C-alpha cells in the first residue's frame, strides 16, 4: 500500500465536527473543485499569493500542483503538511502546517482556507486547533506562528481564541498595492491555557520520523 511507504497517509486528526487527513487523489480533486468555486469575496484578496484571481480551471490545477509539490519537496529539515478538512462526507477546506529545522527550532507556521459556502461556522478554529495539537502535544513544538492581513478579522478572531499574541508587522505587494500583515505568535504556555477543543491524533507514531528525522 502507498501508506506503507508514505505513512503520512495514516495520520488523522479529529475534532468534534471535522476530520483532517492527507488527501488521496479523490479528496484532492474535491479540494481543487472547492477552490475553483471560490474561497473568498473576489473584491478582496486575503492571501499574499493572488492565485484566486485566476480562471477556475487554473485555480483547480494550481491546488493540485501545490499539494503534489509539498509531497515531492518533503524532508525532515523542511516540511509542510497540507491536510483536507472533512465535515460529514464533504471536503470544506484545507489546513496547512509547516516548519524548517523543526528538530532544532521547535516552531511551526500554519495557514488555511475554507470554501466560501463553509465560512462562519467555526470550522477555522477547529482546523487550527487540530494542527496545534499535532504540533505541541504530538511533536513537542514550543512556538506556532500565523499571519493575516490587517482587515482579515475572521483570522484574528481564530488566533485570539487560541491564545496567540501580536508579533509585529509585515508588508506585502498584493494586486500592485501594499498590504500590511499582522504576525502572531503562540507559545506553549499560552496554547495550554487556551486549549479547549478536544482533538484526537491517530497514526503519528508511524510517521514521526518524517517530521523529526532519525534519532
Amino acid at each position: 500500500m502507498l501508506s506503507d511507504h508514505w505513512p503520512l497517509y495514516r495520520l488523522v486528526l479529529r475534532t468534534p465536527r471535522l476530520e483532517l487527513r492527507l488527501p488521496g487523489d479523490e479528496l484532492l480533486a474535491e479540494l481543487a473543485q472547492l477552490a475553483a468555486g471560490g474561497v473568498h469575496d473576489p473584491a478582496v484578496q486575503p492571501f499574499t499569493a493572488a492565485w484566486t484571481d485566476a480562471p477556475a480551471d487554473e485555480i483547480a490545477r494550481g491546488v493540485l500542483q501545490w499539494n503534489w509539490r509539498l509531497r515531492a519537496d518533503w524532508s525532515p529539515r523542511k516540511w509542510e503538511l497540507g491536510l483536507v478538512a472533512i465535515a460529514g462526507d464533504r471536503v470544506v477546506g484545507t489546513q496547512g502546517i509547516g516548519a524548517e529545522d523543526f528538530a532544532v527550532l521547535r516552531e511551526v507556521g500554519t495557514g488555511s482556507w475554507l470554501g466560501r459556502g463553509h465560512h462562519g461556522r467555526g470550522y477555522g478554529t477547529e482546523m487550527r486547533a487540530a494542527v496545534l495539537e499535532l504540533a505541541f502535544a504530538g511533536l513537542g513544538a514550543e512556538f506556532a506562528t500565523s499571519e493575516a492581513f490587517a482587515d482579515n478579522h475572521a483570522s484574528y478572531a481564530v488566533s485570539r481564541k487560541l491564545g496567540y499574541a501580536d508579533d509585529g508587522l509585515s508588508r506585502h505587494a498584493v494586486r500592485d498595492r501594499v498590504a500590511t500583515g499582522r504576525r502572531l505568535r503562540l507559545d506553549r504556555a499560552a496554547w495550554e491555557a487556551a486549549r479547549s477543543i478536544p482533538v484526537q491524533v491517530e497514526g503519528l507514531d508511524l510517521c514521526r520520523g518524517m517530521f523529526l528525522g532519525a534519532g
Side-chain angles (χ1 to χ4, degrees):
M1 294 179 64
L2 183 60
S3 59
D4 292 335
H5 306 288
W6 201 256
L8 290 170
Y9 281 113
R10 297 183 180 178
L11 179 66
V12 182
L13 314 180
R14 291 189 173 91
T15 70
R17 296 181 297 165
L18 301 174
E19 178 179 286
L20 285 78
R21 60 169 60 245
L22 187 69
D25 288 345
E26 289 188 7
L27 288 177
L28 189 54
E30 189 175 343
L31 181 69
Q33 186 62 36
L34 183 69
V39 301
H40 63 77
D41 182 345
V44 298
Q45 175 52 270
F47 303 108
T48 54
W51 58 270
T52 48
D53 289 346
D57 58 343
E58 292 184 18
I59 292 171
R61 284 197 297 271
V63 169
L64 299 177
Q65 290 177 297
W66 170 257
N67 282 273
W68 291 332
R69 188 178 301 117
L70 295 184
R71 293 167 215 186
D73 291 344
W74 186 287
S75 76
R77 184 178 179 276
K78 185 176 182 179
W79 50 262
E80 185 163 352
L81 181 66
L83 304 172
V84 290
I86 304 167
D89 59 355
R90 298 181 63 189
V91 171
V92 298
T94 181
Q95 174 70 58
I97 178 171
E100 189 168 352
D101 294 318
F102 178 78
V104 177
L105 300 177
R106 299 288 172 169
E107 179 173 303
V108 299
T110 63
S112 66
W113 57 259
L114 287 160
R116 288 190 70 182
H118 305 290
H119 291 192
R121 302 183 186 182
Y123 289 153
T125 302
E126 289 191 34
M127 289 160 57
R128 183 103 62 92
V131 292
L132 291 177
E133 186 79 15
L134 171 65
F136 284 104
L139 297 173
E142 294 297 330
F143 299 97
T145 63
S146 183
E147 182 177 347
F149 291 153
D151 58 353
N152 193 339
H153 305 298
S155 179
Y156 285 117
V158 170
S159 296
R160 294 302 186 197
K161 190 179 300 183
L162 296 174
Y164 288 74
D166 288 331
D167 192 39
L169 301 176
S170 300
R171 300 175 79 240
H172 304 276
V174 177
R175 290 178 172 172
D176 297 323
R177 296 183 180 181
V178 174
T180 300
R182 293 175 59 185
R183 299 194 304 270
L184 297 112
R185 177 173 291 272
L186 177 68
D187 62 26
R188 173 171 286 275
W191 167 73
E192 291 176 345
R195 190 182 184 194
S196 61
I197 296 174
V199 180
Q200 296 178 344
V201 179
E202 300 178 7
L204 178 57
D205 287 343
L206 299 171
C207 57
R208 190 181 302 275
M210 294 185 69
F211 294 98
L212 298 171

